[in-house]
Amino acid sequence: KNEVEQSPQNLTAQEGEFITINCSYSVGISALHWLQQHPGGGIVSLFMLSSGKKKHGRLIATINIQEKHSSLHITASHPRDSAVYICAVYSGGSNYKLTFGKGTLLTVNP
Amino acid sequence: DTAVSQTPKYLVTQMGNDKSIKCEQNLGHDTMYWYKQDSKKFLKIMFSYNNKELIINETVPNRFSPKSPDKAHLNLHINSLELGDSAVYFCASSQAGSYNSPLHFGNGTRLTVT
C-alpha cells in the first residue's frame, strides 16, 4: 500500500463544474505539495502547505493534519485544467525526500 | 530565462550503451533532485543533492551515477542501459529542501532503451 493515496484516479467533468481531488497519507508529515502535470509532460508546483488552506486563482488547497488528509479544489473548471494532479508529502528529516501519490487524471470537457 | 533546464528532451539508445542527462538551474537553489516517472506515471525520487553533497540515494542500481560539479548543476550518468531504464527522468530544484519551498521541475527527458 502506497503511503500516499489519491482519489479518484480518473475524473471527467464538464466545463464550469466544481472539482475536488483527495489525498490521504499514512505517515506524519511536515508539508504536503500539490503538483500539476500537463499533457505535454511538464510538472508545475501548485501549492505547498503544512496547515489550513491556500488559494490561488480558481484553485484551493486544504489540509487537515489530524485526519492526514488534503483536498485540491478547482472552481469553475475549464478544459485547460485538464492535467494529472499529484499529491506529494514530505515526512521530515534532513533528507528532503518526497513521497508521491499516483496522480489523478482530470479531463474537463467543453 | 528557463529556471530548470535539462537536456536532451528525448534520448533513444540501445541496451548496453552509456548515456548522460544534464540538468542546470538558474534559480540559486541549493538542493537538486532526480526523479524517475515510470510508464504508469508514478514519480519516484532517485537522488537529491544539497550544496553538491549527496543527501538521498534511493534504491537505485549503481549503474546510475549523479554528478554535481556545482550547486547549479546535477547531471545523471547511466551505464550499461537496460530496457527497464526506459522512463521519463525529471530534474528539479528547491531552496533548502522541499519542506519549506516549492519544487521547480525541468521539462523531463524521455529515455527509450531498445
Side-chain angles (χ1 to χ4, degrees), chain A residues 90 96, chain B residues 28-31 33 50 93-101:
Chain A
Y90 173 68
Y96 310 138
Chain B
H29 289 164
D30 53 17
T31 307
Y33 312 81
N50 180 251
S93 72
S94 68
Q95 187 62 32
S98 55
Y99 167 49
N100 56 4
S101 72

Side-chain angles (χ1 to χ4, degrees), chain A residues 2 30-31 33 35 37 39-45 48 50 84 86 90 94-103, chain B residues 31 33 35 37 40-45 48 50 55-56 58 90 96-103 105-107:
Chain A
N2 200 31
S30 300
H33 294 249
L35 309 171
Q37 185 167 24
I43 301 175
V44 174
S45 177
M48 185 191 55
S50 54
V84 175
I86 302 168
Y90 173 68
S94 60
N95 62 6
Y96 310 138
K97 179 183 171 183
L98 280 179
T99 303
F100 294 85
K102 293 188 175 180
Chain B
T31 307
Y33 312 81
Y35 293 96
Q37 188 173 46
K40 294 183 180 176
K41 302 286 189 181
F42 188 46
L43 273 165
K44 200 163 182 188
I45 183 79
S48 168
N50 180 251
I55 300 296
I56 296 174
E58 284 296 287
F90 284 95
S98 55
Y99 167 49
N100 56 4
S101 72
L103 284 166
F105 285 85
N107 286 329

Side-chain angles (χ1 to χ4, degrees), chain B residues 18-112:
Chain B
D18 302 339
K19 290 292 177 187
S20 292
I21 306 172
K22 295 186 175 181
C23 180
E24 175 181 3
Q25 53 95 4
N26 62 6
L27 296 164
H29 289 164
D30 53 17
T31 307
M32 295 185 72
Y33 312 81
W34 277 109
Y35 293 96
K36 180 179 180 181
Q37 188 173 46
D38 61 25
S39 57
K40 294 183 180 176
K41 302 286 189 181
F42 188 46
L43 273 165
K44 200 163 182 188
I45 183 79
M46 298 175 70
F47 300 103
S48 168
Y49 268 73
N50 180 251
N51 278 322
K52 302 194 303 173
E53 203 175 312
L54 181 65
I55 300 296
I56 296 174
N57 182 351
E58 284 296 287
T59 317
V60 177
N62 57 15
R63 298 181 294 104
F64 290 78
S65 53
K67 294 278 192 303
S68 182
D70 55 61
K71 72 175 197 177
H73 296 84
L74 181 61
N75 303 322
L76 184 64
H77 189 75
I78 316 170
N79 288 329
S80 303
L81 277 154
E82 299 178 359
L83 292 176
D85 297 332
S86 296
V88 181
Y89 293 85
F90 284 95
C91 176
S93 72
S94 68
Q95 187 62 32
S98 55
Y99 167 49
N100 56 4
S101 72
L103 284 166
H104 294 258
F105 285 85
N107 286 329
T109 295
R110 182 173 294 277
L111 172 64
T112 304

Side-chain angles (χ1 to χ4, degrees), chain A residues 24-91:
Chain A
S24 295
Y25 49 91
S26 57
V27 295
I29 69 165
S30 300
L32 182 144
H33 294 249
W34 281 103
L35 309 171
Q36 179 193 53
Q37 185 167 24
H38 297 289
I43 301 175
V44 174
S45 177
L46 297 175
F47 293 104
M48 185 191 55
L49 62 167
S50 54
S51 65
K53 178 179 172 177
K54 286 191 176 180
K55 185 174 189 290
H56 186 254
R58 296 179 295 106
L59 301 177
I60 303 165
T62 63
I63 188 168
N64 185 320
I65 295 290
Q66 287 74 29
E67 294 186 4
K68 294 190 167 72
H69 182 268
S70 175
S71 293
L72 177 68
H73 305 287
I74 305 175
T75 61
S77 59
H78 190 276
R80 65 173 174 265
D81 297 326
S82 299
V84 175
Y85 292 84
I86 302 168
C87 170
V89 300
Y90 173 68
S91 52

